[in-house]
Every structure is written in C-alpha cells, then in structure tokens.
C-alpha cells in the first residue's frame, strides 16, 4: 500500500502521489486554479508529504472559502490554523508573485 500517511512527513512526494495530488487540486474556479498552477510550477519538485497533506486539507474547502484564504480576505481558523496548513497557504499566496 502506497499511502502518503504511512510515509515520513518530510520526505519528498513521489511522482505517483504528486500526480494524484495535482488531480485532486483541480478546482471549479479559475482564480483558484491559477494560484494552484503557479504553486506547483514553483514548488512541486520539493513538495513533501507533510505539505501535500496540508494542501489536501485546503482542497477540502469550497472554492469560495479557498479563494477567500488565498486572497487574504479570511484568516485560517480551527484545523486550518495548523502550522503546516498556514505554511502551504503562504506558499500558495506567494506563488503568483515573483520574489
């Protein structure tokens, strides 16, 4: 069984799991897709299991709730306020802006 929950949280995501994650991250709102597309373009090569799990938490949100977080109209609360989710949210937010 190749389940990301069984792997060490800081190991890089393997190609198969990365492909599944990218499929899961497809959204109905173009704005969300643009954030996610830029995120993967910048970070997919170093994405860890821990970050993938945090991204999955964000993907459980409705499109509008996710967009509110991405645009900073809302702050993460409850289980979204975990350090891992906050870190991935920060990566998503900055992926569209060059450093």
């Amino acid at each position: 069984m190749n389940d990301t929950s069984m792997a060490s949280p800081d190991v890089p995501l393997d190609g198969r799991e990365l492909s599944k994650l990218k499929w899961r991250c497809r959204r109905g709102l173009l704005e969300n897709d643009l954030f996610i597309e830029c995120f993967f373009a910048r970070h997919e090569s170093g994405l860890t299991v821990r970050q993938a799990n945090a991204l999955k938490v964000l993907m459980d949100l409705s499109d509008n709730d996710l967009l509110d977080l991405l645009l900073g109209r809302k702050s993460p609360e409850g289980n979204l306020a975990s350090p891992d989710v906050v870190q991935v949210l920060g990566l998503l937010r900055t992926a569209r802006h060059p450093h």
Side-chain angles (χ1 to χ4, degrees):
M1 180 161 90
N2 188 8
D3 182 9
T4 56
S5 63
M6 303 293 288
S8 171
D10 295 312
V11 300
L13 211 56
D14 70 36
R16 182 171 174 264
E17 290 300 319
L18 179 62
S19 179
K20 286 170 42 177
L21 181 63
K22 286 171 113 175
W23 179 258
R24 181 147 191 278
C25 288
R26 294 174 48 150
R27 306 302 296 194
L29 278 178
L30 174 63
E31 293 87 348
N32 286 340
D33 277 338
L34 293 174
F35 275 99
I36 294 164
E37 184 179 303
C38 291
F39 169 82
F40 278 116
R42 290 184 90 173
H43 301 291
E44 76 177 58
S45 64
L47 202 61
T48 66
V49 170
R50 179 186 309 272
Q51 291 168 323
N53 289 336
L55 189 56
K56 289 174 187 176
V57 170
L58 290 168
M59 293 305 111
D60 285 341
L61 296 172
S62 73
D63 279 335
N64 291 329
D65 288 341
L66 178 59
L67 186 60
D68 284 345
L69 286 172
L70 292 172
L71 295 176
R73 294 190 289 217
K74 288 185 180 176
S75 296
E77 298 176 352
N79 68 330
L80 296 176
S82 77
D84 293 339
V85 173
V86 169
Q87 186 233 5
V88 169
L89 182 58
L91 294 175
L92 281 159
R93 286 175 174 166
T94 60
R96 293 192 63 198
H97 306 289
H99 283 102

